[in-house]
Amino acid sequence: MKELAGRLTALDPDAGAAVRVIAYFDRLAESRAGLEALVRGAAVLAGCPARLVDAGRRVRVRVEPDGSRRDTDLPPDPRWPSESLTPDGAAALWLERAGAGPSVVDAVILERAAGAIRLVLDRTRGRAPVSPADDPALVETLLDPTAPERARLLAARHLGLDTADPATRARALAPLDGPPRILSAHLGERPADTALPAGRLGVGPAVPVLDLPRSWAAARTALRFTAEGTARDPGPGVVHADDLGGISLLADLVVPGAEPPPDVQALECAVADTPWMLVTLHAVAATASLRAAAAEVKVHHSTLQDRLTHAESLLGWPVRTPQGRLRLQLALTIRRLARG
C-alpha cells in the first residue's frame, strides 16, 4: 500500500493522499479503535477540528487537529463538510472547515472514518433507534388527509406514536431535499437543533396525531420562507410555522414563477447593481437596529449608512424608517416566496 501511495502521489497528489487515508482507517478498524481515536484520525488528517454528533445515542466527540479533545454543545454549521451515519442524517461526522466544498481528500476522510465509526457505534451502543423517516410509506399515510382514519392510526402506532394517549403530540418536518419526517413533540416546546435534519427545513406545529396533515401543510408553507444562508440567498435555513403568524398568508398570495411585484423588481435591480446589496438589506430587515445590522455584515456604522443611501437611491424608497423597513421586509419575503 505504501508503494502504491508513493507511485500515485507522483502522478496525482490527491490520489496518493486518498490511498494513505484508506490505509490509515483500515488499520484503525482492524485494531478495533474507539470513537475518539477515529475522530482524532479524521481531525489530524484533515488539519481541522472533527466532530462526531449522534444525539440519539448521546454521543458527542470533538477533536482538534493537534489531537486534543475539546467537546462542545454548540450545533455544527450545516455548511461544513459531513458524512451521515444514519439514513435520516440525524447522526453525522463533521469536518469544521468553512468555505468551499470538501476536497477529494476530505471526502475520503469522511467516508472512511464514518464507515469505521458506524461499526463501533453498532458494536458498543447498539443500533440507533429506527426513525419514522426510515419508513416513508407509513409517514405518507399518516400525513395524507384523504387516508382513512383507521389506516392513519395504524401507521402512527407502527411509527411509535402513542395513539391511546390524547395528550400525544407530533409535528411534521418538510426538508427541501429528502422525504417528509414526523417528530414526537411536546406542546409548547421547540425541537432541539440536533433532532432536525440538516439543510433547509420547514417545521410544522405540534398537533394531535390525527391533525398531522395540518402540520404537514404548515411545514411545507414554512419551507417556502427558508433560505440558503448565502450572499445570494440570505436568511434562515430553518423556519418554524409557529413563528410565521399572519405572515404565512403571503404564501397564498405569491405564486412561484409569476411576475414579481414592483418592489421585488426594484430589489432585484438593486441587487444586480451591487454584490453587497442583498446581505446588507437582509441585515437591516432582520436585526433590531442599524448598529446591529452593521455588526452583522461586519462593517462600520458609517459605512452602513453610506450603503443604505445608495440602496435607497436604487430602490426608490427609504429603508431607515419604520414604514420603509416594513416595505423592505415584505419585498425580501415575497422574493423568497416567488422562488418556489
Side-chain angles (χ1 to χ4, degrees):
M1 184 66 77
K2 288 182 180 179
E3 182 180 353
L4 175 60
R7 291 180 179 179
L8 285 174
T9 299
L11 299 173
D12 184 340
D14 282 346
V19 170
R20 284 192 290 270
V21 168
I22 293 170
Y24 178 83
F25 283 108
D26 282 351
R27 287 195 300 271
L28 287 181
E30 289 170 3
S31 65
R32 297 174 72 88
L35 294 176
E36 185 172 335
L38 291 167
V39 178
R40 179 175 292 108
V44 172
L45 291 174
C48 67
R51 186 188 306 194
L52 166 63
V53 179
D54 187 344
R57 286 179 279 208
R58 300 182 179 180
V59 175
R60 291 178 182 274
V61 179
R62 181 181 180 276
V63 179
E64 296 282 351
D66 63 4
S68 59
R69 179 167 176 173
R70 295 180 185 173
D71 294 346
T72 177
D73 290 329
L74 295 176
D77 187 329
R79 293 170 294 183
W80 292 339
S82 64
E83 179 76 14
S84 295
L85 301 173
T86 54
D88 60 5
L93 175 68
W94 302 79
L95 295 180
E96 298 182 10
R97 195 191 301 284
S103 66
V104 172
V105 177
D106 282 351
V108 175
I109 290 171
L110 285 168
E111 192 273 334
R112 301 301 290 191
I117 287 170
R118 287 189 197 97
L119 294 176
V120 176
L121 287 171
D122 291 346
R123 185 174 72 238
T124 62
R125 289 165 172 81
R127 295 194 175 270
V130 175
S131 165
D134 293 336
D135 196 335
L138 292 175
V139 173
E140 183 178 347
T141 298
L142 190 50
L143 298 180
D144 183 0
T146 66
E149 181 177 311
R150 182 177 178 181
R152 289 164 55 205
L153 287 173
L154 182 61
R157 285 196 290 271
H158 282 303
L159 292 170
L161 297 173
D162 185 2
T163 58
D165 184 357
T168 298
R169 293 291 185 272
R171 62 177 82 240
L173 306 180
L176 177 66
D177 299 309
R181 292 186 56 193
I182 296 171
L183 198 64
S184 296
H186 298 285
L187 196 61
E189 293 184 10
R190 296 172 76 95
D193 290 341
T194 53
L196 300 177
R200 285 173 52 192
L201 180 73
V203 181
V207 297
V209 171
L210 288 178
D211 282 346
L212 275 167
R214 175 169 63 84
S215 182
W216 171 235
R220 284 183 293 165
T221 297
L223 177 62
R224 293 183 60 194
F225 287 85
T226 64
E228 295 290 346
T230 63
R232 292 295 303 173
D233 189 21
V238 177
V239 171
H240 294 253
D242 291 331
D243 294 339
L244 291 173
I247 297 176
S248 64
L249 297 176
L250 282 175
D252 296 329
L253 301 176
V254 180
V255 179
E259 183 177 356
D263 280 1
V264 177
Q265 293 181 34
L267 180 61
E268 294 289 6
C269 290
V271 169
D273 176 80
T274 312
W276 50 255
M277 184 69 68
L278 197 56
V279 289
T280 300
L281 293 178
H282 170 74
V284 170
T287 55
S289 67
L290 292 183
R291 292 199 177 276
E296 178 74 17
V297 295
K298 298 179 175 59
V299 299
H300 192 272
H301 180 65
S302 61
T303 302
L304 179 69
Q305 294 285 2
D306 292 340
R307 287 188 177 187
L308 295 185
T309 298
H310 181 59
E312 289 169 341
S313 69
L314 294 174
L315 292 173
W317 78 84
V319 298
R320 287 171 279 193
T321 65
Q323 182 178 357
R325 186 166 179 263
L326 175 59
R327 189 171 172 181
L328 174 62
Q329 290 170 333
L330 288 173
L332 289 167
T333 300
I334 293 171
R335 176 182 184 270
R336 201 171 294 142
L337 291 170
R339 172 192 56 197

